Amino acid sequence: MLENAPSEHIDPRALKAWFITGILEGFVLLLIPISYLVLDRYFWDLPVIWGRVGIAVVAIYVIWEALIAPQLRMRFWRYEIRENEIDIQRGIFIIRRTLIPMGRVQHVDTEYGPVMRYFGLATLRVSTAATDHSIPALSKEKASELMGEIASLARVSDEDV
Amino acid sequence: MKMSDQKRQHPVMIILETIRLLKYGLPPLFFFALAMREEIRSIDIIPYLWGLSVLVIAFFLYSASQWYVYTYRYENGYLYIKRGLIFKKGRSIKRERVQTVNIRTDLLRRLLGVATIQIETAGGGVESEIVLSAVKLEETHRIKSYLETSGPHADHEKYGDGSGTEYEKRATYVVSSWDLFLAGATSGRIMLLFSLIATVFSQFYPYIPENVMTFLTEQIIPASDADIIPLLMVLLLLLFLSWILSILIFMILYADFTVISQNDYLQVSWGLIEQKEFTLKKNRVQALSVQEGLLRQPFGLCALTLEVAGGGVKDQGYIAIICPILRKSRLDTFLKQILPEYRMPGSMVYLPLRSRKRYLFRSLALVLIFVLLLQTVPYGWLGFLLLPPAFLMGLSRYRTGGTDINDKQLTLRFRNINRYHVLMMQDHVQSLEMSSNLFQRRSNLSTIKASVLSSPSGKSFKVVDADKREIRKIWKWFSRS
């Protein structure tokens, strides 16, 4: 959205990780309309149409979450860690760009779930005293490297103040 | 008594503490007694009285022991506390670590000539504050001034600044009663009180004999057969009553509101029945907002609040108010005296004309849906009356929106219902975010959001649909590289 968007992209393996997460999420969500249909079949006489609508909604959601959204997220999500600040851009419909001065960084965390770990990915979380920001799906090495980098840069800027 | 001796609180603490314990202990007991009442006759009340007096004595003894074991002393830049009857606890607090010292009194304490002093350190948990619940008033001020004089080290730094001539800088602002009256009259609490009074009234309404009621209404409007008029009269009367009441409440609550700026500290005190006072180091101030209420704006009145870092959570409600009412014409002088680092911008960058339709759309769309839904009920067309105010609100929001950068200060101006100017220093902004959705991108508009620290967590302020070029200026201003 600005001509000088942040330079770094997130790891392309994120596409696979998000695809699998989306599919898994879909299976879990599918339990709701299916149990509705089961109840309808064996216990009460409920209108079947709502079960089918439910399945359709879940299907659309999964297509979005597993296929479309990751592509778009991939395209817009950028970050750049400079000496004095962290610059993050994210979003699909609403593109948000955040600037965090190094001196304001309170702490940095990395975190990953089972799917992310399988692909060797991690999310980097940067917290200031007032806000929380994250860069999703970096390679694990990259994440811990950045974590160290931010921590040391943040310390340097603290000394400046 | 030497300064270094262990001191105790004023002995009336025993009584105050006993009363406090009774206040918490009695209601359950009362309900217990109430539950038993079916079985006992009224003569059997005597054992209860015995029980009560035993309880009072027990509470009294407990309070006395608390008073006896709780000692404090202050020396060498530390405040030492010792307490505990069986498990002894001690604590020392370094003067530099003290964030705020609050002095409070209520009616009873004032009659007894004591006050509560509350000492807060950084952290914000329960453990981070110390309360001496009954200390002689002079003693509280002694403790306060002791904890607030920085050590010799800090004095040295101050001379190093080269501003030695301004060493003792003191400014005071007192809110006048007339201003408080105006503030109460425009506070907007009237509706709240009105609903309260109306509820109470409706509870008592059936007990008013009907002939009295008709007599009254006939006195007011003789020979009228319309039913709606007396009802309207009652409503108007109630409105007026709640208006007067809200003025009175405001005037009592904020009576003698005084702000003192001294060196690095702000000291604020107010209240008639319950007096409150807090002291705040100026470097904890993260942002200043100037709030002009919908009713206050036409009279040129505003209220000032602060976003403050650190401190106890429960104090946030009042620690934020730096001035409950101020004439806008005096704002510049007030800021120069009390918070010289902040300055009200002279003129601001307004929003571009192309964002007007977006503001109007946002204001009207929801109301329009609501109104269309209303068409299904009788008199639903009355809902259309909501549209003009919504339109005006959207227009006013558009006209209010604005940004300004002045040296190190960012100012955002916006309106939800009230109009706000939020003044922030560059090094207090924790992060800056600009965002734009599909439609905003098409017309080169962005939303800017600045977050500051404000306990217990952060707070952010935003201006929607500003010109992208202006946003880019703010971005450059904030960027360190």
Side-chain angles (χ1 to χ4, degrees), chain A residues 72-126:
Chain A
L72 293 171
R73 226 178 273 157
M74 212 43 214
R75 177 133 54 107
F76 291 117
W77 209 305
R78 309 274 180 84
Y79 69 93
E80 195 173 325
I81 289 152
R82 291 189 280 269
E83 199 181 328
N84 296 315
E85 62 203 7
I86 301 169
D87 191 346
I88 300 172
Q89 176 182 304
R90 72 203 151 88
I92 293 172
F93 297 112
I94 302 172
I95 297 181
R96 297 171 197 278
R97 190 157 164 203
T98 314
L99 200 58
I100 310 149
M102 274 303 169
R104 302 273 83 85
V105 173
Q106 292 261 325
H107 53 263
V108 200
D109 303 304
T110 55
E111 59 182 37
Y112 39 82
V115 181
M116 287 285 185
R117 191 165 53 187
Y118 177 78
F119 287 101
L121 295 171
T123 295
L124 190 72
R125 207 173 275 284
V126 181

Side-chain angles (χ1 to χ4, degrees), chain B residues 9 18 47 76 78 97 108 110 133 170 174 183 188 191 214 281 313 317 323 350 372-373 390 401 407-408 438 461:
Chain B
Q9 300 184 50
T18 310
N76 307 332
Y78 279 90
R97 289 276 160 257
L108 189 61
R110 261 163 75 203
S133 65
R170 192 186 158 99
V174 183
M191 284 329 282
T214 44
K281 214 171 179 174
V313 177
C323 188
Y350 285 85
L372 289 179
L373 286 175
D407 191 23
K408 287 276 168 201
L438 281 169
F461 304 99

Side-chain angles (χ1 to χ4, degrees), chain B residues 21 51 148 155 195-196 223 240 255 265 277 347 395 399 436:
Chain B
L21 287 171
E148 280 168 2
D155 284 352
S195 52
L196 202 79
F240 185 71
Y265 287 94
E277 177 177 327
S347 64
L395 197 63
R399 290 212 175 125
S436 53

Side-chain angles (χ1 to χ4, degrees), chain B residues 422-481:
Chain B
V422 180
L423 285 56
M424 297 167 261
M425 289 295 154
Q426 189 194 37
D427 45 351
H428 288 148
V429 177
Q430 300 285 333
S431 67
L432 190 73
E433 181 189 284
M434 59 173 169
S435 62
S436 53
N437 61 28
L438 281 169
F439 304 103
Q440 282 177 313
R441 261 170 276 164
R442 203 182 293 159
S443 41
N444 253 338
L445 296 169
S446 284
T447 296
I448 187 88
K449 184 167 104 178
S451 305
V452 295
L453 173 57
S454 162
S455 42
S457 63
K459 224 176 200 174
S460 42
F461 304 99
K462 62 181 177 182
V463 174
V464 184
D465 290 336
D467 194 336
K468 203 172 232 171
R469 262 178 309 175
E470 291 308 319
I471 301 295
R472 213 165 291 165
K473 268 185 213 157
I474 298 174
W475 191 264
K476 281 230 178 74
W477 164 83
F478 189 63
S479 175
R480 261 73 159 176
S481 54

Side-chain angles (χ1 to χ4, degrees), chain B residues 130-357:
Chain B
I130 281 171
V131 180
L132 300 176
S133 65
V135 186
K136 267 209 175 119
L137 203 59
E138 311 92 75
E139 175 74 359
T140 59
H141 287 295
R142 227 175 296 142
I143 296 173
K144 191 176 155 91
S145 61
Y146 180 78
L147 291 175
E148 280 168 2
T149 32
S150 316
H153 176 66
D155 284 352
H156 181 73
E157 269 181 358
K158 207 160 280 156
Y159 283 118
D161 279 344
S163 56
T165 46
E166 290 181 316
Y167 179 59
E168 180 74 10
K169 214 175 166 189
R170 192 186 158 99
T172 310
Y173 182 84
V174 183
V175 179
S176 72
S177 311
W178 172 243
D179 280 0
L180 280 177
F181 175 82
L182 284 177
T186 54
S187 70
R189 287 182 202 204
I190 173 169
M191 284 329 282
L192 196 82
L193 271 169
F194 174 67
S195 52
L196 202 79
I197 291 176
T199 317
V200 172
F201 182 76
S202 69
Q203 290 298 309
F204 283 105
Y205 188 76
Y207 298 107
I208 302 172
E210 200 175 334
N211 48 8
V212 174
M213 225 22 222
T214 44
F215 174 75
L216 274 177
T217 49
E218 270 165 13
Q219 286 299 303
I220 300 164
I221 336 126
S224 78
D225 44 11
D227 260 358
I228 195 127
I229 308 256
L231 193 71
L232 270 179
M233 292 301 286
V234 167
L235 277 179
L236 274 178
L237 197 74
L238 285 182
L239 262 175
F240 185 71
L241 201 71
S242 41
W243 188 58
I244 297 292
L245 208 62
S246 73
I247 293 174
L248 275 178
I249 288 176
F250 204 96
M251 288 185 76
I252 291 170
L253 213 58
Y254 291 109
D256 293 324
F257 199 100
T258 310
V259 191
I260 299 171
S261 164
Q262 192 165 20
N263 298 329
D264 295 340
Y265 287 94
L266 281 177
Q267 187 183 323
V268 186
S269 59
W270 70 94
L272 194 63
I273 296 168
E274 196 176 355
Q275 286 178 322
K276 285 176 178 164
E277 177 177 327
F278 73 83
T279 307
L280 174 76
K281 214 171 179 174
K282 277 186 188 171
N283 62 11
R284 284 175 62 204
V285 174
Q286 304 286 310
L288 169 73
S289 27
V290 179
Q291 179 198 1
E292 292 164 83
L294 200 59
L295 291 172
R296 285 178 183 170
Q297 202 182 334
F299 297 101
L301 297 168
C302 62
L304 306 187
T305 53
L306 296 176
E307 301 303 333
V308 179
V313 177
K314 63 171 182 290
D315 292 330
Q316 286 314 305
Y318 68 80
I319 209 168
I321 302 164
I322 188 85
C323 188
I325 194 77
L326 186 69
R327 281 149 202 275
K328 266 205 97 182
S329 51
R330 292 213 201 121
L331 184 57
D332 286 332
T333 342
F334 180 88
L335 289 182
K336 203 175 279 170
Q337 284 179 348
I338 307 290
L339 287 163
E341 47 275 45
Y342 290 93
R343 207 172 330 135
M344 203 63 180
S347 64
M348 303 195 69
V349 180
Y350 285 85
L351 301 180
L353 192 62
R354 58 183 186 279
S355 60
R356 186 171 66 185
K357 59 174 185 291

